[in-house]
Amino acid sequence: MSGTLHSSTTVGMEGRQTTTPKKESCDQQAKCLKRIQSILDGGATDEEKQYFKDHIEVCQPCIDMYHLEKCIKEALQGKVEKKCCPEKIAAAIQAEITK
């Protein structure tokens, strides 16, 4: 069903409701997932952010994927405990990298 559209109602800048058709499938889902992860990790460029912002205006699967990835990231951040790496281990890793 590539290219199938459905509508969603949004409030435009003028305060009026508008109906925007949205795709029900994304032909570049893997690429979009990488972009979403980059955005959520804070590594996306302004150009990538703008592209994605424009893309989700018309792509429902990417909107859904963004919200799911954001929820997963927030849930994991609440569960993960950050600990410092012991100096000895850090030095050993550094030595292996520079070989």
Side-chain angles (χ1 to χ4, degrees):
M1 261 196 186
S2 181
T4 304
L5 300 176
H6 75 277
S7 298
S8 70
T9 303
T10 58
V11 177
M13 290 176 51
E14 301 85 24
R16 293 182 299 211
Q17 284 189 346
T18 60
T19 301
T20 306
K22 296 201 185 299
K23 295 189 302 181
E24 290 184 1
S25 65
C26 182
D27 298 333
Q28 298 187 6
Q29 193 167 359
K31 209 178 216 183
C32 289
L33 177 58
K34 286 181 183 180
R35 186 168 280 127
I36 289 168
Q37 291 170 340
S38 180
I39 289 168
L40 292 174
D41 291 341
T45 65
D46 289 340
E47 184 178 277
E48 289 172 318
K49 290 176 193 175
Q50 186 60 49
Y51 173 86
F52 187 70
K53 183 179 176 185
D54 294 340
H55 179 72
I56 64 171
E57 292 287 323
V58 296
C59 188
Q60 188 63 44
C62 288
I63 292 170
D64 297 341
M65 191 167 36
Y66 172 80
H67 289 296
L68 176 62
E69 289 293 318
K70 185 175 178 184
C71 287
I72 290 170
K73 183 176 176 80
E74 289 170 356
L76 288 175
Q77 284 177 338
K79 302 288 182 188
V80 176
E81 181 182 336
K82 293 182 181 180
K83 291 185 177 182
C84 292
C85 179
E87 188 70 34
K88 190 175 182 178
I89 294 174
I93 293 171
Q94 185 101 24
E96 285 294 318
I97 292 172
T98 57
K99 280 185 178 180

